[in-house]
């Protein structure tokens, strides 16, 4: 049950500390750019950021699914080898 609990841990910081560092850099750039844009430009920037977030979520979901399926297939192969041996 330990693995399932770890996967369900909502507070685990994947990719840290690099992820947090890049997030701070992205926020700073976004704030600087936002200060230079008119309302139309700000709206376009927000739309772009939303699309990029959606793309990242899709990649994460696919990576998770592929990882789980690979792990299950690996365990099935291990069980087959153990059963034969």
């Amino acid at each position: 049950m330990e693995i399932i609990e770890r996967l369900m841990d909502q507070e685990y910081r994947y990719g840290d500390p690099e992820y947090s560092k890049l997030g701070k850099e992205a926020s700073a750039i976004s704030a600087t750019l936002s200060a230079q844009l008119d309302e139309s430009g700000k709206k376009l920037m927000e739309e772009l950021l939303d699309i990029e977030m959606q793309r990242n979520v899709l990649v994460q979901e696919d990576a998770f699914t592929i990882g789980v399926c690979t792990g299950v297939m690996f365990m099935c192969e291990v069980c087959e080898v153990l059963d034969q041996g």
Side-chain angles (χ1 to χ4, degrees), residues 27-75:
S27 292
I29 291 170
S30 179
T32 301
L33 185 57
S34 181
Q36 297 175 10
L37 295 173
D38 62 9
E39 288 304 313
S40 175
K42 288 178 185 178
K43 183 172 172 34
L44 283 172
M45 184 179 75
E46 285 299 318
E47 289 177 20
L48 175 63
L49 293 173
D50 287 344
I51 289 170
E52 284 301 312
M53 181 69 73
Q54 291 172 20
R55 290 178 68 212
N56 287 333
V57 167
L58 291 172
V59 168
Q60 290 172 356
E61 289 173 350
D62 281 352
F64 178 82
T65 301
I66 290 169
V68 169
C69 291
T70 301
V72 168
M73 290 175 9
F74 176 74
M75 291 304 299

Side-chain angles (χ1 to χ4, degrees), residues 2-15:
E2 184 178 325
I3 292 174
I4 292 174
E5 290 171 0
R6 193 173 353 151
L7 289 173
M8 299 302 293
D9 183 1
Q10 297 295 315
E11 294 182 24
Y12 183 79
R13 309 279 305 197
Y14 293 98

